[in-house]
């Protein structure tokens, strides 16, 4: 009898191990496929011509994605400019000021915001934000500023929840000590809590950046997808993810490989961002 | 440990079973024809296939997209019975057997409120190559032109480059949308936009402009006056076999051509 129970325990454990490892396997497979498909073109054309090339016309032999790399970073910075102050303020309010009732209202609302599919954001962007920008600011409306606005809202849940966690994990004794020194609440937040939660807050910004740079559906709907590097906030632009999604359907041969190469560059950027974010958090824990 | 092994075997078998289920069922005992390629031709082929299958219940037609270039490649590799293309064959692709099933005009469209109704081919080329960038140059207000194109690799873009651009490159500042529908949507909402779409899809939401004085319509395409017209092609590798032949004959028959005409295309016999 005991034997069977033990066996069952082992069985369950091994099943769970297998499933847990499968996510690693998937990650490995994704890496292997993207690199396997994307690297040949790097070898054939040369990394410099792809990464720093200014001209993208894959059916005519030009594979430069530099404008898209710049555009991806521009929308990400734009999104952060909008999302970071809003998100951090919300996190500070939630952790330091809000009562239980407000928290019970806000937290599920933020989770709901995170659950809204990106195509819905894109649709709302096209229907409301694009015409607003076109009518009041000029240009076609499909622009850097519209995309940044929508992405800024989309990264709010990431920024709020991670910086909230960082803020509440600041020990209560810090707050008490600060209050005992005669500091006001805002002084405590500004001088004590934010500095000690700094790495967590930065990590939230960087993970938000990762979300913004990886966003695709909403971006192709709003960004206008022009190949030129935008020279004003009202110019359209094409991101790395948008490039893959736009042209995937028709791509064959080197064109298809070029899209995988775009994927390689994107993967490296996102890996770097995640590494920075994790490094920030880990350093904080090690302290 | 052997439990774990069994689990893996099970995991490996399940997807296999699913695939097996998917393949049997409807197609059992039927002959099947695979048609793949241009997404511009695909919706019409689907419609034709539906009608064809009502009459010949022993045949199943599997219609897939992938784009013109993919359709050409698949026909060359013999992975499909019939390839679809919405652009002319390039020189190295001319080994294939080419059947014109109908013609489709490409219309240059602007917003309904745009007073510009006529442009020359040179002006359109100028707009998309970036030489003309302000509506004032076309006799309207002093406002930037929001030109919208299709993505690289699209058959509609390929045909537009061949018939309108004639070697000039489409400017990098031109916006890009990934379907006829999205181009139409942009032009329908942005008063300063200009784009090009398949003529079968033009409706009251957008306004087609006449080019060199010729309005795009079935009549002007038929008479050969409207020149921005591309063929919709079916491709086979060598002579089509009996199954494929029957479907192609149906498409070229009176019934088949009527279906295409009702969709706003110009038949081969017109």
């Amino acid at each position: 009898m005991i034997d069977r129970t033990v066996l069952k325990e082992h069985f369950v454990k091994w099943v769970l191990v297998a499933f847990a490892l499968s996510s690693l396997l998937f990650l490995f497979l994704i890496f292997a496929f993207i690199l396997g498909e994307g690297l040949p073109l790097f070898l054939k054309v040369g990394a410099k011509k792809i990464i720093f090339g200014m001209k993208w016309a894959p059916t005519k032999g030009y594979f430069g994605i530099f404008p898209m790399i710049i555009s991806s970073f521009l929308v990400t910075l734009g999104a952060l400019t909008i999302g970071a102050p809003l998100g951090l303020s919300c996190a500070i309010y939630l952790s330091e000021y809000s009562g239980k009732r407000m928290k019970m209202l806000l937290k599920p609302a933020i989770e709901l915001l995170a659950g809204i599919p990106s195509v819905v954001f894109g649709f709302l962007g096209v229907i409301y934000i694009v015409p607003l920008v076109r009518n009041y600011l000029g240009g076609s409306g499909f622009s850097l500023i519209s995309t940044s606005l929508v992405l800024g809202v989309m990264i709010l849940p990431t920024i709020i929840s991670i910086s909230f966690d960082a803020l509440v994990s600041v020990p209560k004794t810090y707050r008490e000590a600060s209050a005992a020194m005669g500091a006001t609440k805002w002084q405590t937040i500004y001088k004590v809590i934010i500095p000690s939660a700094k790495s967590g807050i930065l990590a939230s910004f960087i993970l938000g950046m990762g979300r913004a740079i990886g966003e695709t559906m909403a971006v192709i709907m709003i960004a206008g997808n022009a190949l030129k590097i935008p020279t004003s906030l009202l110019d359209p632009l094409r991101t790395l993810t948008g490039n893959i999604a736009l042209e995937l359907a028709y791509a064959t041969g080197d064109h298809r490989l070029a899209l995988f190469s775009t994927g390689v560059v994107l993967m490296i950027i996102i890996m770097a961002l995640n590494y920075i974010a994790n490094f920030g958090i880990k350093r904080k824990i090690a302290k | 440990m052997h439990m774990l092994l069994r689990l893996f075997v099970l995991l490996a078998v399940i997807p296999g079973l699913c695939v097996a289920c998917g393949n049997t069922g409807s197609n059992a005992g039927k002959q099947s024809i695979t048609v793949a390629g241009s997404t511009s031709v695909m919706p019409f082929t689907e419609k034709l296939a539906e009608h064809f299958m009502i009459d010949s219940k022993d045949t199943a037609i599997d219609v897939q997209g992938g784009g013109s270039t993919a359709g050409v490649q698949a026909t060359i590799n013999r992975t499909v019975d019939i390839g679809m293309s919405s652009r002319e064959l390039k020189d190295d692709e001319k080994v294939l057997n080419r059947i014109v099933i109908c013609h489709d005009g490409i219309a240059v469209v602007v917003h309904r409120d745009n007073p510009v109704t006529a442009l020359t081919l040179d002006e359109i080329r100028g707009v998309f190559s970036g030489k003309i960038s302000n509506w004032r140059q076309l006799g309207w207000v002093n406002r930037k032109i929001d030109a919208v194109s299709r993505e690289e690799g699209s058959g509609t873009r390929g045909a537009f480059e061949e018939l309108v651009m004639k070697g000039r490159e489409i400017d990098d500042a031109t916006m890009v949308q990934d379907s006829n529908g999205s181009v139409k949507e942009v032009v329908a909402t942005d008063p300063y936009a200009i784009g090009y779409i398949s003529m079968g899809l033009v409706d009251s939401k957008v306004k087609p402009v006449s080019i060199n004085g010729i309005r795009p319509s079935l009549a002007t395409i038929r008479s050969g006056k409207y020149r921005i017209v591309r063929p919709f092609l079916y491709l086979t590798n060598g002579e089509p076999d009996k199954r494929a032949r029957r479907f192609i004959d149906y498409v070229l028959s009176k019934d088949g051509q009527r279906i295409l005409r009702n969709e706003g295309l110009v038949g081969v016999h017109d």
Side-chain angles (χ1 to χ4, degrees):
Chain A
M1 241 3 233
I2 292 167
D3 234 29
R4 281 193 70 173
T5 323
V6 170
L7 208 67
K8 204 171 158 191
E9 282 297 309
H10 271 281
F11 175 72
V12 169
K13 183 185 149 198
W14 280 108
V15 167
L16 290 176
V17 167
F19 282 134
L21 289 181
S22 70
S23 63
L24 251 177
L25 179 75
F26 292 140
L27 187 68
F28 172 76
L29 284 177
I30 290 170
F31 264 53
F33 276 110
I34 294 183
L35 287 177
E37 298 269 359
L39 283 183
L41 196 74
F42 276 105
L43 298 177
K44 192 171 147 189
V45 184
K48 209 179 134 196
K49 275 197 177 146
I50 295 178
I51 297 174
F52 294 109
M54 293 299 288
K55 192 172 157 64
W56 170 262
T59 54
K60 297 176 190 80
Y62 296 97
F63 304 104
I65 58 171
F66 188 68
M68 299 169 213
I69 297 177
I70 298 297
S71 297
S72 274
F73 275 108
L74 284 176
V75 280
T76 305
L77 281 181
L80 214 56
T81 316
I82 291 156
L86 272 178
L88 183 59
S89 315
C90 183
I92 291 172
Y93 174 73
L94 273 176
S95 77
E96 307 303 322
Y97 289 95
S98 80
K100 253 213 177 103
R101 210 177 268 172
M102 203 54 199
K103 214 174 277 180
M104 266 165 62
L105 183 77
L106 268 174
K107 282 224 113 184
I110 291 157
E111 278 155 27
L112 202 63
L113 188 68
I116 293 174
S118 62
V119 67
V120 174
F121 278 104
F123 192 52
L124 291 174
V126 168
I127 302 291
Y128 295 107
I129 305 215
V130 167
L132 267 178
V133 170
R134 179 168 56 230
N135 294 339
Y136 292 99
L137 298 174
S140 65
F142 295 90
S143 57
L144 175 57
I145 193 167
S146 317
T147 316
S148 301
L149 264 169
V150 172
L151 282 179
V153 175
M154 289 179 79
I155 63 172
L156 275 180
T158 311
I159 292 181
I160 294 171
S161 62
I162 295 171
S163 38
F164 173 77
D165 288 344
L167 290 169
V168 288
S169 69
V170 173
K172 212 175 168 197
T173 48
Y174 285 29
R175 294 183 176 82
E176 285 162 356
S178 175
M181 303 282 284
T184 64
K185 188 155 193 176
W186 175 242
Q187 284 170 331
T188 305
I189 292 168
Y190 185 67
K191 297 261 179 176
V192 178
I193 297 174
I194 291 180
S196 42
K198 196 174 72 190
S199 52
I201 292 169
L202 281 178
S204 85
F205 292 171
I206 288 162
L207 289 173
M209 276 176 80
R211 171 111 168 80
I213 222 166
E215 179 48 48
T216 311
M217 194 62 213
V219 171
I220 24 178
M221 291 171 83
I222 308 166
N225 308 313
L227 285 165
K228 222 181 99 214
I229 297 177
T231 48
S232 97
L233 280 172
L234 302 173
D235 278 353
L237 78 174
R238 185 186 298 195
T239 63
L240 291 164
T241 51
N243 190 44
I244 299 177
L246 267 180
E247 303 199 349
L248 168 93
Y250 291 109
T252 51
D254 279 355
H255 188 184
R256 192 166 148 268
L257 295 182
L259 296 184
F260 272 105
S261 303
T262 314
V264 172
V265 172
L266 191 62
M267 197 171 77
I268 292 170
I269 294 173
I270 289 178
M271 269 166 54
L273 286 179
N274 271 315
Y275 178 77
I276 296 168
N278 281 329
F279 183 68
I281 293 169
K282 281 208 185 92
R283 203 180 45 179
K284 159 83 182 146
I285 291 167
K287 264 186 197 169
Chain B
M1 245 348 241
H2 73 281
M3 285 286 215
L4 190 65
L5 198 70
R6 216 188 280 172
L7 185 81
F8 274 126
V9 172
L10 197 68
L11 283 178
V13 167
I14 291 170
L17 280 176
C18 297
V19 170
C21 298
N23 277 349
T24 51
S26 65
N27 291 6
K30 280 190 183 179
Q31 292 184 312
S32 78
I33 307 174
T34 317
V35 189
S38 163
T39 49
S40 302
V41 190
M42 188 172 81
F44 307 113
T45 303
E46 275 169 349
K47 200 143 241 170
L48 289 162
E50 265 170 45
H51 285 267
F52 180 71
M53 284 188 285
I54 293 171
D55 296 331
S56 3
K57 293 205 163 52
D58 57 331
T59 314
I61 299 178
D62 180 18
V63 185
Q64 297 165 8
S68 295
T69 310
V72 172
Q73 282 308 321
T75 319
I76 291 174
N77 302 334
R78 293 183 184 276
T79 46
V80 296
D81 298 302
I82 303 173
M84 300 179 283
S85 172
S86 55
R87 57 163 174 80
E88 271 300 350
L89 293 181
K90 291 171 189 158
D91 282 334
D92 56 327
E93 298 166 347
K94 285 195 173 142
V95 291
L96 294 174
N97 185 19
R98 164 182 172 281
I99 301 146
V100 180
I101 62 160
C102 61
H103 295 278
D104 176 37
I106 295 176
V108 173
V109 289
V110 294
H111 191 265
R112 273 169 316 181
D113 301 340
N114 190 329
V116 175
T117 54
L119 293 171
T120 66
L121 204 58
D122 280 339
E123 284 171 334
I124 294 170
R125 200 178 301 134
V127 166
F128 282 92
S129 63
K131 220 176 74 190
I132 298 176
S133 59
N134 196 304
W135 280 110
R136 200 176 42 185
Q137 290 166 275
L138 300 173
W140 191 30
V141 290
N142 180 13
R143 168 67 163 72
K144 202 175 123 297
I145 299 175
D146 301 332
V148 197
S149 178
R150 289 288 305 280
E151 78 284 10
E152 185 95 4
S154 134
T156 313
R157 177 182 174 131
F160 185 81
E161 281 180 338
E162 184 195 319
L163 299 164
V164 178
M165 299 311 288
K166 295 189 174 137
R168 292 287 298 278
E169 274 177 21
I170 293 180
D171 186 46
D172 275 354
T174 311
M175 284 195 279
V176 174
Q177 295 292 321
D178 63 354
S179 69
N180 274 305
S182 335
V183 172
K184 192 167 108 182
E185 205 48 46
V186 172
V187 175
T189 49
D190 179 355
Y192 307 101
I194 184 168
Y196 56 88
I197 60 175
S198 169
M199 229 186 74
L201 295 164
V202 173
D203 58 21
S204 59
K205 286 171 82 179
V206 292
K207 192 175 79 174
V209 297
S210 56
I211 297 170
N212 289 347
I214 311 289
R215 272 186 58 79
S217 72
L218 291 184
T220 51
I221 292 177
R222 229 172 270 157
S223 64
K225 276 189 189 151
Y226 190 77
R227 287 294 184 67
I228 308 174
V229 176
R230 56 176 167 164
F232 278 179
L233 302 176
Y234 276 3
L235 307 165
T236 58
N237 196 335
E239 278 305 305
D241 62 13
K242 232 175 76 193
R243 299 164 301 136
R245 183 80 253 170
R246 270 183 56 214
F247 179 60
I248 293 170
D249 284 343
Y250 171 75
V251 171
L252 296 176
S253 74
K254 239 181 180 168
D255 287 345
Q257 292 291 308
R258 199 179 55 230
I259 292 168
L260 291 173
R261 253 196 310 275
N262 287 343
E263 298 289 326
L265 299 167
V266 177
V268 275
H269 309 306
D270 294 334

